[in-house]
Amino acid sequence: MYDLAMLRYSLACITVAVLATSSASTPRPHPPTSADPYKLPGYPVFIKQCAPCHGEHGDGLGQGARFLTPAPRDFRRTQLKFFSTDNGVASGKDIYETIAAGIGGTSMLPFAQLGEATCWSLVDVVAAFRERGAREALEQTGLTGTELETAVAGKCNPSPASDLPPEPPATVDTASRGLILWREAGCVTCHGEAARGGEVQVAQRGGSTMSVRVPDLTTGVLRQVPTPFNLANRIRRGIGGTPMPATNLGGDDLWSLVHYVKTLIPEGAQAIADPVWGRLPAARLTGELPTSPDDPRFAEVPITWLPLAPFNAFDRSVSMIGVQPLASSTHIVMRVVVPDATRDVPSKTSDAAPDGIALRVTPVSKPPVLPVAGQMPVLDRAVTYTGAMPRVEDPVFIASGFENPEAVCKTVAPAARTGTSTYVQGTWRHVIAVRTEMSGPPNASQPLSVSLAVFNGSAKRGPLPTAFSAWRELVVSP
Ligand code: HEC
Ligand code: HEC
């Protein structure tokens, strides 16, 4: 149904991902060590964009962290997952690429839009926290002087990367050889014959254990952009801090496995894993506010598909939504299309948590992806649930340790301003409206940042959203 739009979208995303990756090709010395992370030029951006999840001390304990699976990385105590070096220490370029391209299918969005210089300044902050954490841990073991310095360097200085063998052309033969190796090299023991994964494994991270799930590779949503280079690095070097092991396969075998893994990944699938920032075209709103999804004015706005980042990466039941926005100087009204296999509407006979959507609007440019209380002036926001709010005594509040649901979840917009919802054939169509105060409709020189979140009752998170979009700049075309 949405194929063409999806395809275009995929291409746009892949372009962004490739740009993000190629702009990092300029060689740069590995991040300076012994720097004070709090005094680095990148730290103010880190506080705004990264600390809500990674914490102001880089320990992974940001305000939003407890709602996220997997947890945001603790830079101080945990080996990074993605590296291309021989000693397993992520280089500046490795970290840069993660920041720019994000970690697919998780809440770690791509940050390429912050610009190359800013991303590099964030690399320095991450590396400085890594060094601090390693130093403090080693000091506690009693090491001092040169011994300490050598040990710190061993944990924090990336070694050069030995070149990967050159990639032969991908053919049916190389891929079939890869299938044989998939069994012989032991991939099958964790990933399964059909690569559907699912097994939960226990990993040792930062002194504590955590569970890591073997991914279903056939969904095509990989953590790293699945370029041949990245896949070869993962298969050769493993994934830091997880059970995914390194291998010592020779060149042809390594590439055969890469070619086989490539055949598992559906074309364009990665696009739904990476919410990217960008423009959101809207049409001009005149007359009464539309309240029904059948209002004919929505049909005139092209639908924009927004991939969503999940709060829990293992529940991607709603991974993208389509939006059709109308805007005036006083309001933004959207029709939001949510493909959702389950219709969850609380009623007298069912105390299911409701499906729903939330919309936030702010004049701030490039707001933090997960704003924390008091950090950002939200111009307005609205929440629409398909039914009443879950009770405050809902077990989910207690289970999530959520102290003040009323303050966070209650809709700010009066009911009159939120529209209605219909559910037909596995798809919700909601209407949601927020009030704005602008001198004219948002335009290229005065855009409004908007972001959406989705609630999915069957995810059993009560009134907490299950996924969110990146910020988009809403612009009414002249
Ligand atoms: C909404 C939450 C969120 C925000 C905001 C966020 N991250 Fe992350 N980040 C994560 C999560 C979750 C992971 C772990 C994903 C995984 O383990 O697969 C992660 C992992 C990382 C990693 C580890 C990569 C590796 O190889 O292990 C780096 C580096 C990183 N983030 C940097 C940043 C920087 C820099 C910023 C700010 C520009 C940022 N993150 C903002 C959630 C976030
Ligand atoms: C001991 C279990 C184990 C074995 C053996 C194993 N893997 Fe994995 N693999 C994992 C886990 C766990 C992850 C997910 C790590 C994460 O994202 O936290 C993973 C992730 C992956 C990914 C996804 C990378 C990404 O960017 O999302 C690929 C591709 C992969 N494995 C390929 C292979 C291949 C090829 C082999 C055989 C050479 C193999 N694995 C052997 C456990 C294993």
Side-chain angles (χ1 to χ4, degrees):
M1 166 160 62
Y2 322 119
D3 283 352
L4 198 59
M6 264 300 296
L7 183 66
R8 282 211 203 93
Y9 192 76
S10 323
L11 291 175
C13 292
I14 288 164
T15 319
V16 168
V18 169
L19 278 177
T21 312
S22 61
S23 60
S25 56
T26 9
R28 193 172 178 280
H30 70 71
T33 45
S34 306
D36 180 345
Y38 305 98
K39 294 203 175 121
L40 285 167
Y43 190 67
V45 187
F46 184 88
I47 280 292
K48 182 176 166 197
Q49 296 290 352
C50 321
C53 295
H54 292 284
E56 56 190 297
H57 307 296
D59 51 9
L61 297 178
Q63 291 194 40
R66 63 198 162 124
F67 302 117
L68 301 174
T69 308
R73 190 74 66 256
D74 170 355
F75 301 130
R76 298 171 52 93
R77 294 191 306 163
T78 318
Q79 189 195 5
L80 296 184
K81 277 187 178 176
F82 307 117
F83 52 89
S84 58
T85 58
D86 292 346
N87 68 348
V89 178
S91 68
K93 182 167 173 288
D94 292 331
I95 301 173
Y96 177 97
E97 287 182 1
T98 305
I99 297 172
I103 302 184
T106 77
S107 58
M108 173 68 200
L109 301 187
F111 286 96
Q113 77 289 340
L114 296 179
E116 196 172 333
T118 305
C119 287
W120 277 115
S121 72
L122 291 166
V123 171
D124 293 344
V125 176
V126 170
F129 276 127
R130 172 171 70 184
E131 214 253 22
R132 267 230 167 167
R135 180 175 296 277
E136 283 169 16
L138 288 161
E139 275 167 356
Q140 277 176 10
T141 67
L143 284 186
T144 51
T146 2
E147 266 181 0
L148 174 67
E149 295 314 317
T150 316
V152 171
K155 285 197 160 233
C156 303
N157 291 4
S159 67
S162 55
D163 283 339
L164 293 172
E167 182 183 1
T171 63
V172 176
D173 283 350
T174 58
S176 354
R177 168 98 192 106
L179 170 58
I180 296 167
L181 286 159
W182 179 258
R183 298 184 185 128
E184 286 178 357
C187 318
V188 74
T189 51
C190 294
H191 287 276
E193 188 72 33
R196 302 301 291 265
E199 280 287 304
V200 176
Q201 309 216 333
V202 173
Q204 211 58 45
R205 295 187 74 74
S208 57
T209 50
M210 59 171 261
S211 35
V212 175
R213 197 166 299 194
V214 182
D216 178 350
L217 297 177
T218 65
T219 62
V221 175
L222 271 75
R223 297 292 183 250
Q224 252 191 324
V225 184
T227 59
F229 177 82
N230 283 344
L231 287 173
N233 265 306
R234 295 294 55 81
I235 297 172
R236 169 172 269 206
R237 310 182 196 276
I239 300 183
T242 82
M244 166 82 186
T247 58
N248 51 9
L249 296 168
D252 284 351
D253 286 352
L254 177 67
W255 287 113
S256 296
L257 257 176
V258 171
H259 295 166
Y260 174 64
V261 170
K262 274 256 157 202
T263 65
L264 298 168
I265 302 173
E267 199 75 39
Q270 192 73 13
I272 63 164
D274 294 326
V276 284
W277 307 32
R279 281 281 158 87
L280 178 59
R284 196 182 180 123
L285 168 66
T286 49
E288 289 287 294
L289 295 189
T291 51
S292 155
D294 295 320
D295 193 300
R297 285 171 288 177
F298 287 123
E300 285 156 34
V301 197
I303 191 161
T304 304
W305 287 96
L306 306 178
L308 302 178
F311 282 87
N312 177 351
F314 304 116
D315 173 21
R316 293 182 38 83
S317 48
V318 179
S319 58
M320 72 165 26
I321 53 174
V323 292
Q324 291 167 292
L326 296 163
S328 67
S329 54
T330 56
H331 287 89
I332 291 177
V333 188
M334 287 186 185
R335 176 161 78 183
V336 183
V337 181
V338 183
D340 178 353
T342 52
R343 176 180 181 277
D344 302 299
V345 181
S347 67
K348 284 208 180 82
T349 52
S350 143
D351 63 353
D355 289 336
I357 47 167
L359 171 63
R360 287 177 308 182
V361 174
T362 172
V364 173
S365 170
K366 295 182 183 166
V369 294
L370 203 69
V372 294
Q375 201 187 45
M376 185 188 81
V378 174
L379 185 62
D380 205 350
R381 65 178 179 155
V383 184
T384 174
Y385 287 122
T386 60
M389 261 276 292
R391 292 166 292 118
V392 177
E393 324 75 74
D394 188 296
V396 74
F397 285 124
I398 298 151
S400 64
F402 205 61
E403 290 117 20
N404 188 4
E406 286 289 312
V408 179
C409 302
K410 207 165 181 170
T411 172
V412 176
R417 292 219 311 274
T418 54
T420 55
S421 307
T422 60
Y423 186 80
V424 181
Q425 289 182 346
T427 303
W428 278 110
R429 291 186 316 151
H430 304 281
V431 172
I432 191 165
V434 292
R435 200 166 46 78
T436 60
E437 288 151 8
M438 315 255 307
S439 51
N443 57 59
S445 54
Q446 196 193 13
L448 267 183
S449 301
V450 300
S451 87
L452 289 107
V454 166
F455 304 84
N456 183 8
S458 56
K460 308 233 181 304
R461 285 170 63 86
L464 302 180
T466 54
F468 60 97
S469 78
W471 288 92
R472 292 292 184 118
E473 287 194 334
L474 186 129
V475 169
V476 173
S477 29

